[in-house]
Amino acid sequence: MAADAVDRKKIVGAALAAPTFLFLLVFFLIPTGLLFVYSFWLAKSFALIPALSLDNYTRALSSWGFYALTLSGLKNGFWTAAFSVVLSFPAAYYIVYRTRGNLLFYIILVSWFSSYLVRIYAWRVILGSNGLINTTLIQLGLISQPLEILLFSPFATILTLVHIMLPFTLLLLVSSLRDVKAEYIEAAKDLGASQFEVFRKVILPMSYKGLVGAFMFTFVLAAGDYVTPQFLGGRDGMTTGIMISNQFRSSGNWPFGAAMAFLLLATFLVVYFLFVQLLNLLKLAPGRRFHD
Amino acid sequence: MTTPPIVELYGVTKSFGAFTVLNDIDLKIADGEILTLLGPSGCGKTTLMRIVAGFEQSTHGRVLLRGVDVSNQPPERRPVNMVFQRYALFPHLDVFDNVAFGLRLKKKSKSEIKKTVTHMLELVQLGEYANRWITELSGGQAQRVALARALVNEPSVLLLDEPLAALDLKIRHHMLAELKRIHVETGTTFIYVTHDQDEATILSDRIVLMNKGAIEQIGTPEEMYARPQSLFCAKFLGETNILSGSVISAEGDTTYVDIGAGAAKVAMNGVPVGSQVSLAVRPEAIRLDKVREVAGKENFNFVDGVIQDVVFMGSRVVYNIRTPINLIKYQETRPVHGISLERGDEVRASWAADAAVLLTH
């Protein structure tokens, strides 16, 4: 009887997870596996030649361009994630602890309702030579020539990526701060903690997972993004993401594109590892003992 | 007065808009006592404690700790510590680090922290649990850690906000005994908030009974139980029989009340003839006899009825008696030679003139 119940629970659990698992299997794991296989193949004038070759990897790793582009993508990712988290945290704090309703939260989330491309074009309008910022500055007499640096620069890419990612980061941070119930904060104050000590010793470690999650998700999405840098990044804004997408869409060298995609994935994993190590080093990770 | 009060509240009032949660509370708490704020939910007891802790600001009034006005000090600056209802132990720290939290903020030396925390964990009998994570503790153990985390800071006053509410009955009684032992060992003043009259009577030196944002009555548990000053108090602490009626005459120290089933004599005075009053008689102060055995013997303080049911509760037996005026409860210790009365018996419930309390409101 009891064993039957346990079996039933297992079956129901598996049945609930099955659709998601199947979806990921068919549309993610299998394509990723195929792509991984492709990365060892070779391409000659748009035709794929099955092989087991490391040529694609060595070609990428021996080119300075690949490193430069990867670095530029990582920079986009890092600054976007850093600004998004730093800007979202106070807003998340305000939403969770200072307001009763979620009005502000929804207002910020509403910006997600507009298309990604529309927002990229909107920033082109704002940042362009005849855009809102330049014309205003010229009319105020602060500059005589439009600032070219505003558009088609890593600055424009990061600004736009932050704008796109911010609601996402905020969503993750709000949900992780909701776990840090107000009574934990009261307990810390009761024990003599100042506002800063409450933040440092209770809120940060308790929202650690959400913080790492928010940073890494934003980082990976922004570092791998190839649309925003393409439209706003200019010549210096080229990233590995753009190069990978070119391999698939114009050059037709899928194996080389696949190899770079896996190198980028490996890079992200290394960055994730380094980030977590850094937080451990700063004594922010939970599950640590502070005594012998 | 030997020692000055450790906590003094003067005219403490708290309102949210037009709604008054606490109305003009004056209270002095003696050094080293266990004082309970008792009352139904919404009576303002938790708000009053949070005002002492500093989590709420009173709208009017002053809070003094050891004679110093702390009304405007934030909670982190006040020499009081609190045990939260759901403990609020930090899940990212282990037992030792939870208890050490306050000491580390005060920049105590590592060796001193080690010594003090170890001592405190032994006091709450969790010496072996220093390395446990919070999620690995039972409710009772978490309770002890919360207690240790607060007491380790040697607060002037320990505030306990319904600390046993989340525990089951057996552990609750055990923890009450533990709280008393810890109170004796540390000598700290306890302010204890609860809605549970059993916890209040078992634990307290004094009970402050609150109702609708005001203090209803203050006294030792026995005073409160034996001499309630209001109907609210009589009903809130323990079970009681309420007989309503009006005063028919008063002679010296005796007042006669018409309770609808004859007259009752009460050993109290000062209530004008004609007043509507209530008599409160505790179930254990009632005497029960079979009507045919005592008929015609008494003139006052009785009511005849029929036993509706007999409830066996282990060490005691409760009888519910249906009478023309009210359902009367009678309670006795379990008779060793068996229960002789049964359902349907015609009985007379009577009580002594000094066993009833006359209540005017």
Side-chain angles (χ1 to χ4, degrees), chain A residues 23 51 74 116 141 158 176 191 216 232 249 271 273 281 287:
Chain A
F23 184 87
L74 290 182
Y116 175 70
I158 291 165
S176 75
L191 293 165
M216 281 317 297
L232 297 169
R249 300 198 308 180
V271 170
F273 175 77
L281 217 63

Side-chain angles (χ1 to χ4, degrees), chain B residues 165-223:
Chain B
L167 300 177
D168 60 47
L169 196 66
K170 274 233 163 102
I171 303 176
R172 206 182 298 175
H173 279 125
H174 180 64
M175 276 310 293
L176 279 174
E178 281 290 286
L179 281 173
K180 275 206 150 168
R181 176 182 67 80
I182 290 164
H183 176 255
V184 169
E185 284 188 38
T186 58
T188 310
T189 309
F190 283 16
I191 300 181
Y192 189 96
V193 165
T194 185
H195 63 269
D196 185 315
Q197 41 121 350
D198 284 335
E199 283 178 24
T201 45
I202 292 171
L203 194 66
S204 318
D205 293 320
R206 282 195 304 157
I207 294 175
V208 176
L209 182 67
M210 294 181 65
N211 185 27
K212 293 178 184 161
I215 293 177
E216 190 84 21
Q217 189 174 342
I218 304 178
T220 66
E222 210 210 331
E223 281 166 9

Side-chain angles (χ1 to χ4, degrees), chain A residues 186 190 201 289-291, chain B residues 50 82 92 94 97 131:
Chain A
E186 286 190 346
D190 183 68
K201 287 176 172 254
R289 297 185 205 280
F290 294 85
H291 59 97
Chain B
R50 289 173 61 83
M82 186 153 165
H92 60 291
D94 68 5
D97 288 330
N131 285 323

Side-chain angles (χ1 to χ4, degrees), chain A residues 65-279:
Chain A
F66 177 76
Y67 293 107
L69 296 191
T70 303
L71 191 65
S72 130
L74 290 182
K75 271 188 192 162
N76 285 348
F78 176 81
W79 288 116
T80 304
F83 281 120
S84 300
V85 167
V86 168
L87 289 174
S88 312
F89 209 99
Y93 187 91
Y94 179 79
I95 288 166
V96 173
Y97 299 114
R98 294 281 186 269
T99 59
R100 277 162 199 266
N102 277 330
L103 186 65
L104 182 70
F105 192 37
Y106 294 137
I107 289 174
I108 295 175
L109 288 188
V110 155
S111 79
W112 250 0
F113 287 19
S114 62
S115 143
Y116 175 70
L117 280 174
V118 166
R119 279 182 284 162
I120 291 178
Y121 275 101
W123 279 107
R124 270 175 98 136
V125 170
I126 296 169
L127 299 172
S129 313
N130 299 317
L132 187 68
I133 295 179
N134 274 324
T135 41
T136 311
L137 289 177
I138 289 170
Q139 294 207 335
L140 287 172
L142 293 173
I143 51 172
S144 52
Q145 294 290 313
L147 293 174
E148 297 297 339
I149 184 92
L150 286 182
L151 191 56
F152 304 124
S153 65
F155 165 79
T157 306
I158 291 165
L159 183 68
T160 307
L161 281 173
V162 169
H163 170 209
I164 292 166
M165 298 297 174
L166 200 70
F168 187 69
T169 325
L170 185 78
L171 190 72
L172 290 173
L173 288 181
V174 163
S175 72
S176 75
L177 276 188
R178 292 229 194 269
D179 289 341
V180 189
K181 301 259 182 288
E183 61 188 16
Y184 290 114
I185 295 173
E186 286 190 346
K189 282 190 180 165
D190 183 68
L191 293 165
S194 66
Q195 197 72 44
F196 176 74
E197 285 164 330
V198 171
F199 177 72
R200 168 79 180 69
K201 287 176 172 254
V202 176
I203 296 175
L204 266 192
M206 282 187 71
S207 57
Y208 173 82
K209 278 187 185 152
L211 197 68
V212 174
F215 185 91
M216 281 317 297
F217 270 109
T218 316
F219 175 85
V220 169
L221 287 176
D225 182 60
Y226 59 89
V227 180
T228 315
Q230 204 165 339
F231 279 89
L232 297 169
R235 226 177 304 121
D236 299 337
M238 187 76 174
T239 65
T240 325
I242 300 177
M243 204 155 103
I244 293 170
S245 104
N246 285 344
Q247 297 307 316
F248 283 93
R249 300 198 308 180
S250 38
S251 314
N253 194 341
W254 285 30
F256 186 46
M260 285 195 291
F262 280 100
L263 287 173
L264 202 59
L265 177 68
T267 314
F268 288 165
L269 289 175
V270 170
V271 170
Y272 175 73
F273 175 77
L274 289 178
F275 182 64
V276 171
Q277 288 304 312
L278 176 74
L279 290 175

Side-chain angles (χ1 to χ4, degrees), chain B residues 72-294:
Chain B
N72 295 317
Q73 274 186 18
E76 62 267 29
R77 304 261 309 274
R78 298 192 186 189
V80 300
N81 286 110
M82 186 153 165
V83 174
F84 290 79
Q85 191 174 140
R86 276 164 298 165
Y87 322 137
L89 296 172
F90 303 122
H92 60 291
L93 299 174
D94 68 5
V95 167
F96 185 100
D97 288 330
N98 261 281
V99 178
F101 196 88
L103 298 175
R104 291 219 170 91
L105 290 170
K106 290 190 194 101
K107 311 274 185 243
K108 302 275 186 201
S109 74
K110 218 174 170 177
S111 58
E112 191 185 344
I113 289 174
K114 175 96 187 163
K115 207 179 98 201
T116 322
V117 170
T118 309
H119 169 75
M120 194 46 73
L121 285 176
E122 272 159 17
L123 179 75
V124 297
Q125 299 183 335
L126 286 179
E128 308 291 308
Y129 289 74
N131 285 323
R132 287 282 186 101
W133 295 105
I134 299 308
T135 47
E136 300 167 345
L137 300 176
S138 70
Q141 290 164 345
Q143 179 62 74
R144 288 160 192 269
V145 176
L147 208 55
R149 182 178 70 174
L151 280 172
V152 79
N153 305 291
E154 298 181 348
S156 295
V157 180
L158 182 73
L159 307 171
L160 301 113
D161 182 13
E162 308 222 11
L164 307 184
L167 300 177
D168 60 47
L169 196 66
K170 274 233 163 102
I171 303 176
R172 206 182 298 175
H173 279 125
H174 180 64
M175 276 310 293
L176 279 174
E178 281 290 286
L179 281 173
K180 275 206 150 168
R181 176 182 67 80
I182 290 164
H183 176 255
V184 169
E185 284 188 38
T186 58
T188 310
T189 309
F190 283 16
I191 300 181
Y192 189 96
V193 165
T194 185
H195 63 269
D196 185 315
Q197 41 121 350
D198 284 335
E199 283 178 24
T201 45
I202 292 171
L203 194 66
S204 318
D205 293 320
R206 282 195 304 157
I207 294 175
V208 176
L209 182 67
M210 294 181 65
N211 185 27
K212 293 178 184 161
I215 293 177
E216 190 84 21
Q217 189 174 342
I218 304 178
T220 66
E222 210 210 331
E223 281 166 9
M224 307 279 283
Y225 187 83
R227 293 282 145 204
Q229 289 163 3
S230 64
L231 204 53
F232 177 80
C233 182
K235 283 180 174 170
F236 200 86
L237 272 102
E239 296 208 73
T240 197
N241 293 303
I242 302 292
L243 310 167
S244 347
S246 57
V247 175
I248 41 182
S249 68
E251 287 169 20
D253 277 348
T254 309
T255 305
Y256 291 86
V257 180
D258 175 11
I259 54 166
K265 233 170 33 166
V266 196
M268 275 175 108
N269 59 15
V271 183
V273 171
S275 312
Q276 289 297 311
V277 292
S278 301
L279 287 188
V281 188
R282 296 290 180 189
E284 71 277 9
I286 299 243
R287 178 193 156 92
L288 211 57
D289 295 288
K290 291 190 173 150
V291 173
R292 57 186 152 77
E293 289 169 9
V294 290

